[in-house]
């Protein structure tokens, strides 16, 4: 249940696109460095670096040299600053929704949820008592059918293939309920691989010394957790649990391959599971998961599902019981006494991400409350911090971006007329949500009990799970959001042909009414363009305007597109965050295409709004210079080394520094910064990748 400190990337398109997104100067740290609180952080630049050699450092060099990552964070930049500000604001709103509110109201639930999590003394007093009935259930497992039921009972709606692109679950499998890719008028259940305590198979299998060291520490962590729970024989059990996870990792599909939609869209009937994935008692598993009547599933990683199923039959029952005990405690650690919290932090944050210090309890409490009652909290947030004028201004910007994208589509000389018409149709039906959803979630079915932090967390998870199961018998709601309004991020929902821009990303320094719009176009405009272009990237090209998985391009169009993608893969494979690793160009391709396209279309959109007026000049910089500088400052981010290494393995996005350097693909970047052949970022015109 510990959602707030998951080791794996939880939001992809953001940390995704968005995590990624932030920008310039804002927040107190930067102001101290001499930045204006509106506009750009000129003082944070390093003019001694040639823009053509290292644009990221030219735009951010002094900021990088003088900024320290806060002790409770594994990285820091504009998105972190905005996340911090939003956390503080959200905490105040939550605290104001206190126990005085009438029972059963959302305000009361929010207040009770937060207060229960904050009551550390009570949690300490309870010890492991809240877990006792669940541990007893594990103890009672006597045969493989009972094991299958226990595993089925852990299934949650905790993964997401195409929207938030969260491919990680600690449970044996994860469920995502979304539009069926062959028939987007109905929902289907997608079954994904899981079962690892570390973020990715690579952590178990990569032979490097660094990874081997992490494995040793992970085994020690497993033993420490068992010891805290007074489970005897911890060391031997830890070795067996680790070995089981290593074998699960061996059958896992890689992250890069898991992103290939055509490989994932495998429809299996319920009856097929025992033959195609023998081992697990599937009827018992699905029955315990509340899916006993479901006729058909989408099995995203068939090899992993088969491999894991076989392990449930071949590995001794006692090892599986130890595995279940460990993960039960591990996943609940955020709701347990401080010794468990500290042990969880020591491995998952300190070892895996390099974070020296744990976040204060109130921040974790806000994140847990957001996870449980996200849209109820979001409703309070937008009422206070997202005025109608800003919503209208953002909507106008989105319209400008869409119009500019339409012009680009018309101009593409290599695209067949039929494909072009379909692209225009897809753009015309794109549903863009700004700030918050038109209809809010109903939380009346969620029971929150003051003083029962663990029970609240568990009920919230099950509430979310049942909300998703219920969709299987409902018609598709294209207005549903995939992110909370108080999240600093943005997301494209390919099968919905929809985009969400949460309110929290639409604030300074991403989006600021008190500066020239050119800087907004370089920052949030490029993000908006990025999200729109996901509808037309290597994956978006697979979904038609209704969200059906149907390649709507001609063979020649697709070949052209793939050739451009290939050059972008090579470009990003050439970036080395550390001498021993390089960015995975294939794994990050969709995001890199979206960055190039988003930046180009935002520049077009800004130019279209000028109506021939002369471009602005601020601080001695021209309009074009301000546009690109704003983009590069939006990407400023510093990482602790283990965190950056982790991201390169698990993230679908390239590290921010290289995302900023994608300016080198735009012709318009070269003249304003006097970039010439021989400089490190210089690309000869045929090598510049322009997909749209
Ligand atoms: Zn993206």
């Amino acid at each position: 249940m510990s959602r707030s400190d998951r080791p794996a990337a939880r939001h992809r398109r953001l940390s995704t696109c968005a995590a990624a997104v932030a920008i310039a100067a804002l927040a107190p740290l930067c102001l101290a460095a001499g930045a204006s609180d509106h506009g750009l952080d000129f003082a944070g630049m390093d003019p001694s670096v040639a823009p053509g050699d290292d644009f990221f450092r030219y735009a951010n060099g002094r900021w990088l040299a003088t900024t320290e990552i806060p002790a409770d964070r594994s990285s820091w930049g504009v998105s972190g600053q905005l996340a911090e500000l939003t956390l503080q604001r959200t905490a105040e709103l939550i605290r104001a929704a206190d126990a005085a509110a009438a029972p059963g109201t959302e305000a009361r639930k929010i207040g009770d949820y937060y207060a229960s999590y904050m009551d550390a003394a009570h949690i300490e007093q309870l010890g492991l008592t809240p877990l006792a009935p669940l541990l007893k259930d594990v103890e009672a497992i006597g045969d493989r059918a009972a094991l299958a039921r226990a595993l089925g009972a852990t299934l949650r709606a905790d993964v997401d293939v195409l929207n938030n692109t969260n491919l990680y679950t600690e449970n044996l499998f994860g469920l995502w309920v979304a539009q069926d890719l062959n028939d987007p008028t109905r929902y289907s259940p997608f079954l994904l691989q899981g079962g690892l305590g570390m973020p990715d198979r690579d952590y178990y299998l990569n032979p490097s010394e660094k990874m081997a060291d992490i494995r040793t520490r992970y085994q020690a962590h497993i033993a420490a957790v068992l010891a805290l729970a007074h489970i005897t024989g911890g060391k031997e059990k830890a070795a067996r649990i680790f070995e089981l996870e290593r074998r699960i990792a061996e059958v896992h599909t890689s992250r890069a391959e898991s992103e290939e939609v055509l490989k994932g869209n495998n429809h299996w009937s319920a009856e097929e599971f025992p033959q195609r994935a023998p081992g697990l008692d599937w009827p018992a598993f699905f029955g315990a998961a509340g899916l006993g009547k479901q006729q058909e599933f989408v099995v995203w990683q068939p090899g992993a599902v088969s491999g894991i199923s076989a392990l449930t039959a071949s590995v001794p029952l006692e090892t599986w019981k130890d595995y279940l005990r460990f993960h039960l405690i591990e996943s609940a650690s955020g709701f347990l006494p401080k010794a468990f919290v500290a042990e969880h932090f020591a491995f998952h944050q300190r070892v895996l991400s390099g974070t020296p210090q744990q976040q204060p309890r109130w921040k974790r409490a806000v994140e847990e409350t957001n996870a449980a009652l996200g849209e109820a909290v979001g409703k309070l947030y937008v009422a206070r911090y997202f005025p109608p004028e800003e919503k209208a201004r953002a909507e106008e910007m989105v319209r400008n971006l869409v119009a500019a994208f339409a012009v680009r589509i018309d101009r593409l000389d290599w695209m067949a007329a039929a494909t072009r018409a379909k692209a225009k149709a897809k753009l015309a039906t794109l549903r863009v949500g700004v700030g918050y959803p038109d209809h809010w979630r109903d939380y009346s079915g969620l029971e929150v009990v003051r003083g029962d932090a663990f029970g609240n967390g568990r009920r919230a998870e099950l509430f979310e799970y049942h909300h998703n199961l219920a969709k299987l018998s409902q018609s598709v709601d294209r207005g549903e959001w995939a992110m909370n309004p108080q999240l600093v991020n943005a997301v494209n929902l390919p099968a919905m042909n929809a985009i969400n821009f949460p309110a929290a990303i639409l604030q300074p320094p991403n989006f600021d009414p008190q500066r020239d719009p050119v800087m907004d176009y370089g920052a949030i405009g490029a993000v908006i363009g990025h999200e729109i272009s996901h509808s037309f990237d290597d994956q978006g090209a697979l979904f038609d305007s209704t969200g059906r998985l149907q390649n709507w391009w001609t063979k020649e169009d697709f070949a052209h597109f793939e050739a451009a993608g290939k050059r972008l893969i090579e470009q990003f494979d050439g970036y080395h965050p550390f001498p021993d690793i390089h960015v995975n160009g294939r794994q990050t391709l969709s995001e890199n295409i979206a960055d190039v396209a988003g930046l180009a279309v935002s520049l077009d959109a800004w130019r279209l709004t000028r109506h021939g007026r002369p471009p602005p000049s601020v601080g001695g910089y021209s309009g074009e210079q301000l546009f690109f500088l704003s983009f590069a400052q939006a990407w400023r981010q510093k990482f602790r080394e283990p965190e950056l290494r982790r991201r390169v393995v698990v993230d679908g996005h390239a590290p921010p520094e290289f995302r900023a350097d994608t300016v080198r693909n735009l012709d318009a970047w070269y003249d304003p910064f006097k970039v010439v052949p021989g400089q490190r970022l210089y690309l000869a015109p045929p090598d510049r990748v322009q997909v749209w």
Side-chain angles (χ1 to χ4, degrees):
M1 269 182 301
S2 83
R3 283 167 291 232
S4 57
D5 54 355
R6 269 283 176 244
R10 291 172 52 223
H11 323 104
R12 166 184 99 137
R13 288 250 176 218
L14 140 68
S15 37
T16 290
C17 301
V21 174
I23 303 193
L26 181 73
L29 279 186
C30 288
L31 293 178
S36 149
D37 53 349
H38 299 285
L40 295 181
D41 178 13
F42 296 120
M45 296 169 60
D46 184 351
S48 74
V49 176
D53 279 332
D54 190 338
F55 194 61
F56 183 72
R57 276 178 187 70
Y58 169 71
N60 298 300
R62 284 198 197 136
W63 179 87
L64 286 165
T66 54
T67 299
E68 273 187 44
I69 302 171
D72 66 349
R73 290 198 170 259
S74 56
S75 66
W76 189 242
V78 176
S79 57
Q81 291 165 3
L82 283 182
E84 195 70 19
L85 174 69
T86 306
L87 259 181
Q88 285 168 14
R89 288 173 164 177
T90 309
E92 282 163 26
L93 293 167
I94 289 173
R95 289 183 200 123
D98 63 8
T105 58
E106 284 182 358
R108 176 67 173 264
K109 286 177 186 183
I110 291 168
D112 283 349
Y113 196 98
Y114 179 83
S116 305
Y117 193 90
M118 287 301 290
D119 192 352
H122 185 55
I123 288 171
E124 208 63 32
Q125 210 175 10
L126 290 173
L128 276 182
T129 316
L131 275 184
L134 297 168
L135 287 168
K136 224 169 146 185
D137 289 349
V138 174
E139 189 54 47
I141 296 172
D143 56 29
R144 303 276 167 180
L147 173 65
R149 284 194 295 276
L151 291 168
T154 66
L155 196 64
R156 296 289 181 272
D158 57 359
V159 288
D160 175 337
V161 184
L162 297 174
N163 301 336
N164 286 307
T165 51
N166 173 18
L167 303 180
Y168 174 85
T169 175
E170 180 178 350
N171 298 325
L172 198 63
F173 297 113
L175 191 76
W176 182 50
V177 176
Q179 283 109 307
D180 188 84
L181 305 183
N182 300 340
D183 176 8
T185 63
R186 63 180 171 90
Y187 289 108
S188 274
F190 292 68
L191 196 68
L192 270 72
Q193 68 186 15
L196 304 181
M198 292 198 284
D200 186 271
R201 74 193 298 269
D202 211 41
Y203 282 76
Y204 295 83
L205 307 174
N206 185 316
S208 79
E209 215 173 289
K210 289 235 173 223
M211 288 300 201
D213 177 54
I214 289 174
R215 287 194 277 278
T216 307
R217 288 159 182 263
Y218 181 52
Q219 278 201 54
H221 166 66
I222 299 173
V225 170
L226 297 177
L228 282 173
H230 307 296
I231 294 172
T232 54
K235 217 173 159 197
E236 296 70 36
K237 285 176 179 166
R240 287 196 291 269
I241 292 166
F242 177 82
E243 175 58 14
L244 171 54
E245 288 191 18
R246 196 193 59 77
R247 294 182 66 187
I248 294 173
E250 274 179 343
V251 300
H252 259 220
T253 301
S254 72
R255 164 89 204 200
E257 193 177 329
S258 297
E259 289 190 1
E260 292 184 41
V261 176
L262 296 175
K263 289 189 179 169
N265 187 33
N266 309 292
H267 288 68
W268 289 14
S269 72
E271 296 83 61
E272 282 178 285
F273 277 79
Q275 296 107 54
R276 300 183 79 157
L280 187 63
D281 183 337
W282 287 103
F285 177 88
F286 284 131
L291 286 161
K293 295 210 172 82
Q294 181 65 30
Q295 295 298 308
E296 196 179 59
F297 295 82
V298 178
V299 179
W300 201 256
Q301 298 118 334
V305 169
S306 304
I308 292 170
S309 174
L311 289 171
T312 66
S314 64
V315 170
L317 201 59
E318 280 312 312
T319 302
W320 277 108
K321 288 169 73 170
D322 287 332
Y323 167 92
L324 280 168
R325 284 187 194 97
F326 165 66
H327 283 287
L328 191 55
I329 301 163
E330 176 88 333
S331 66
S333 62
F335 298 84
L336 295 176
K338 58 177 185 289
F340 291 90
V341 176
E343 177 56 37
H344 192 269
F345 171 79
F347 180 72
H348 289 281
Q349 299 298 309
R350 198 173 290 143
V351 174
L352 291 182
S353 292
T355 312
Q357 190 180 309
Q358 181 151 44
Q359 284 194 323
R361 190 165 195 95
W362 71 265
K363 290 189 190 174
R364 288 179 278 141
V366 170
E367 288 185 355
E368 290 295 344
T369 311
N370 277 336
L373 288 144
E375 288 197 10
V377 175
K379 210 189 286 184
L380 302 176
Y381 178 83
V382 300
R384 174 77 181 77
Y385 293 108
F386 193 61
E389 313 85 79
E390 283 297 89
K391 182 169 161 75
R393 203 167 70 87
E395 283 169 344
E396 190 197 340
M397 199 168 183
V398 169
R399 280 194 297 276
N400 293 341
L401 265 293
V402 169
F405 210 96
V407 173
R408 276 202 166 246
I409 292 172
D410 280 336
R411 261 201 242 132
L412 288 180
D413 48 9
W414 53 266
M415 186 174 261
T419 314
R420 208 188 308 240
K422 284 177 186 156
K424 295 284 284 285
K426 190 169 180 184
L427 193 62
T429 52
L430 183 69
R431 186 178 174 132
V432 181
V434 171
Y436 49 89
D438 292 341
H439 304 288
W440 296 101
R441 270 283 285 280
D442 173 9
Y443 290 97
S444 56
L446 174 60
E447 189 195 2
V448 178
V449 179
R450 202 172 178 98
D452 184 14
F454 174 82
N456 290 340
R458 191 168 167 79
R459 279 187 292 274
E461 267 187 9
L462 287 168
F463 177 74
E464 182 63 25
Y465 183 61
H466 292 132
H467 169 74
N468 278 280
L469 291 193
K471 289 183 196 170
L472 293 170
S473 54
Q474 293 164 0
S475 55
V476 169
D477 174 12
R478 278 188 70 209
E480 190 183 33
W481 273 47
M483 280 178 177
N484 291 328
Q486 66 277 29
L487 187 70
V488 182
N489 212 332
V491 63
N492 182 302
L493 299 81
M496 291 236 213
N497 195 20
I499 304 181
N500 302 160
F501 295 104
I505 197 172
L506 297 164
Q507 57 178 323
N510 289 336
F511 186 60
D512 186 348
Q514 299 192 54
R515 65 177 181 182
D516 189 280
V518 68
M519 290 169 265
D520 280 2
Y521 277 92
I524 197 72
V527 175
I528 295 170
H530 171 117
E531 296 302 342
I532 293 173
S533 94
H534 270 315
S535 298
F536 305 90
D537 64 16
D538 60 325
Q539 297 208 349
L542 302 172
F543 295 91
D544 69 13
S545 63
T546 69
R548 193 183 307 272
L549 186 58
Q550 174 170 277
N551 188 357
W552 44 279
W553 299 48
T554 67
K555 237 169 104 186
E556 293 73 30
D557 292 332
F558 209 71
H560 179 99
F561 191 74
E562 285 201 312
K566 195 165 165 280
R567 281 184 292 140
L568 210 51
I569 290 172
E570 284 161 11
Q571 198 179 105
F572 277 79
D573 275 342
Y575 291 132
H576 289 74
F578 302 104
D580 61 325
I581 52 170
H582 67 84
V583 175
N584 184 334
R586 173 152 298 281
Q587 178 171 306
T588 57
L589 178 61
S590 292
E591 298 302 332
N592 298 332
I593 291 174
D595 280 345
V596 178
L599 187 64
V601 79
S602 190
L603 182 61
D604 287 357
W606 170 68
R607 285 173 170 165
L608 288 171
T609 63
R610 302 301 302 160
H611 301 297
R613 277 176 290 134
S617 164
V618 177
Y621 294 94
S622 71
E624 264 80 6
Q625 286 175 326
L626 292 168
F627 175 85
F628 288 111
L629 280 171
S630 184
F631 177 73
Q633 290 199 342
W635 286 114
R636 60 166 49 163
Q637 199 162 3
K638 285 183 80 158
F639 289 91
R640 300 188 190 281
E641 183 183 328
E643 174 65 5
L644 187 50
R645 286 181 179 275
R646 185 186 71 83
R647 296 254 190 128
V648 172
V649 173
V650 305
D651 203 335
H653 303 82
E657 151 170 17
F658 309 116
R659 298 182 70 175
D661 287 345
T662 209
V663 293
R664 67 201 292 217
N665 290 302
L666 269 67
D667 297 338
W669 173 70
Y670 283 75
D671 276 354
F673 295 100
K674 302 192 171 35
V675 181
V676 293
Q679 292 187 310
R680 202 177 60 91
L681 293 177
Y682 177 87
L683 290 171
D687 295 331
R688 298 172 196 167
V689 180
Q690 287 170 25
V691 182
W692 284 96

